[in-house]
Amino acid sequence: MLSKRILTMQDLSCVGQCSLTVALPVLSALGVEACVLPTAILSNHTMFKKWSCLDMTPEIKNIMDVWEENDFKFDAFYLGYLGSASLMDIAKQCFKKFSADGAEVIIDPAFGDNGKLYPAFDENYVHCMKDLIKCADIILPNLTEACFLSGTDYEHDASIEFTQKVIKKLATLTNAVIVLTGVECNGEIGEIIYRDGKFSYVWDEKLPKRYHGTGDIFASAFTAEYVKSKDMQKACFVAGRLVGDSIRATSPDHGYGVNFEYVLNNIKRN
């Protein structure tokens, strides 16, 4: 039985559990074929004091030319941390050239959190992302990203009513299904799904600890499960549970990310 072939486009941190270092094992463990288009190679993720970065943009054209000659096609596209607005046009070319019949585009905007942009990004990146999400079938923003994309002032401790307003405003910019991630309410954390003008919710236990890279785990697991089952709520549940179990398996002083490898190992054994 052939597995679904997913192309994920994001950076590779040589040390640190995030981006492609997370996406490859999670997609594979959850039963899809993981293909990659690395946007940059970093010595380590940027939560450490120092890092180096090699921009892969010059090589990407060569990669895509060879893919075209080999007639490669992908069943879905999953975009994470791109790092440069110029890569968004490259992503659009990928969708055009390498889509199998029915291929869907899943985009995690991955440019901010806690009301702020990540250091590498500016308003131009947000503007370009606003255009790119028009190509998406599903987007996976957190509240910060949804606020920036929709032009809404971010609110800490936002109510569900405020969050729904942000989602509806964002929905005027794209026909994609919106899965707002990391929503907190009444001691729980989860996702708000906005599809065909209706809201649905997936909740789980909110844990007291926060770690780098959990959004990448969620997006990767969501993509794998959704591409297989086409069940969005199940995909949110599977992804949220993987994140929660990974946090529980991680010691408080672990600075690389979360111990998702331990959880994936148990999934395989079961």
Side-chain angles (χ1 to χ4, degrees):
M1 182 178 182
L2 292 176
S3 61
K4 295 290 186 178
R5 176 178 289 171
I6 312 302
L7 175 63
T8 181
M9 183 177 177
Q10 49 189 306
D11 73 278
L12 172 63
S13 291
C14 297
V15 176
Q17 295 150 306
C18 65
S19 300
L20 284 180
T21 312
V22 166
L24 277 169
V26 170
L27 290 169
S28 298
L30 295 183
V32 297
E33 180 185 345
C35 304
V36 303
L37 188 59
T39 58
I41 299 176
L42 282 72
S43 58
N44 46 268
H45 68 59
T46 57
M47 295 300 287
F48 293 98
K49 292 180 181 179
K50 296 181 179 180
W51 63 88
S52 68
C53 179
L54 173 64
D55 182 3
M56 289 293 292
T57 305
E59 182 61 23
I60 288 176
K61 182 182 183 301
N62 296 330
I63 292 171
M64 291 174 60
D65 286 345
V66 173
W67 283 359
E68 199 164 10
E69 288 182 25
N70 288 325
D71 196 28
F72 290 152
K73 301 294 181 183
F74 303 101
D75 298 302
F77 300 88
Y78 156 38
L79 274 61
Y81 187 106
L82 297 180
S84 170
S86 63
L87 288 160
M88 297 186 200
D89 286 334
I90 293 174
K92 292 176 187 176
Q93 293 175 37
C94 277
F95 307 154
K96 182 178 181 180
K97 293 181 178 181
F98 306 119
S99 291
D101 290 343
E104 293 186 88
V105 175
I106 300 170
I107 298 177
D108 175 5
F111 61 67
D113 204 359
N114 297 314
K116 298 179 181 179
L117 296 175
Y118 296 141
F121 300 122
D122 56 18
E123 290 291 344
N124 180 62
Y125 189 89
V126 176
H127 176 75
C128 293
M129 181 62 71
K130 196 180 296 187
D131 180 64
L132 183 63
I133 62 173
K134 294 175 183 177
C135 302
D137 295 284
I138 302 169
I139 58 174
L140 304 169
N142 58 32
L143 182 58
T144 294
E145 291 153 354
C147 285
F148 272 101
L149 289 168
S150 65
T152 308
D153 291 336
Y154 178 82
E155 290 187 7
H156 293 278
D157 302 317
S159 67
I160 292 296
E161 291 74 22
F162 171 80
T163 302
Q164 289 176 333
K165 288 179 182 178
V166 173
I167 292 171
K168 286 184 176 180
K169 192 173 179 181
L170 180 56
T172 65
L173 305 177
T174 176
N175 291 323
V177 176
I178 299 170
V179 180
L180 195 75
T181 64
V183 180
E184 299 181 14
C185 181
N186 298 325
E188 293 184 305
I189 190 167
E191 295 72 50
I192 300 179
I193 302 169
Y194 189 65
R195 186 177 197 174
D196 299 327
K198 297 179 180 179
F199 290 103
S200 58
Y201 310 85
V202 179
W203 300 109
D204 204 344
E205 176 188 4
K206 181 180 179 295
L207 300 174
K209 298 179 286 184
R210 284 180 174 269
Y211 290 94
H212 184 76
T214 52
D216 298 329
I217 295 172
F218 180 92
S220 300
F222 173 92
T223 298
E225 181 58 43
Y226 175 75
V227 167
K228 291 188 301 180
S229 69
K230 300 300 181 183
D231 185 329
M232 206 161 294
Q233 288 198 281
K234 182 181 178 183
C236 285
F237 177 81
V238 168
R241 185 55 52 91
L242 177 57
V243 170
D245 289 347
S246 298
I247 291 173
R248 293 182 186 95
T250 305
S251 62
D253 59 348
H254 185 70
Y256 293 82
V258 293
N259 191 9
F260 71 92
E261 296 93 344
Y262 173 82
V263 180
L264 291 182
N265 186 53
N266 286 339
I267 289 174
K268 290 180 184 179
R269 288 170 180 260
N270 293 333

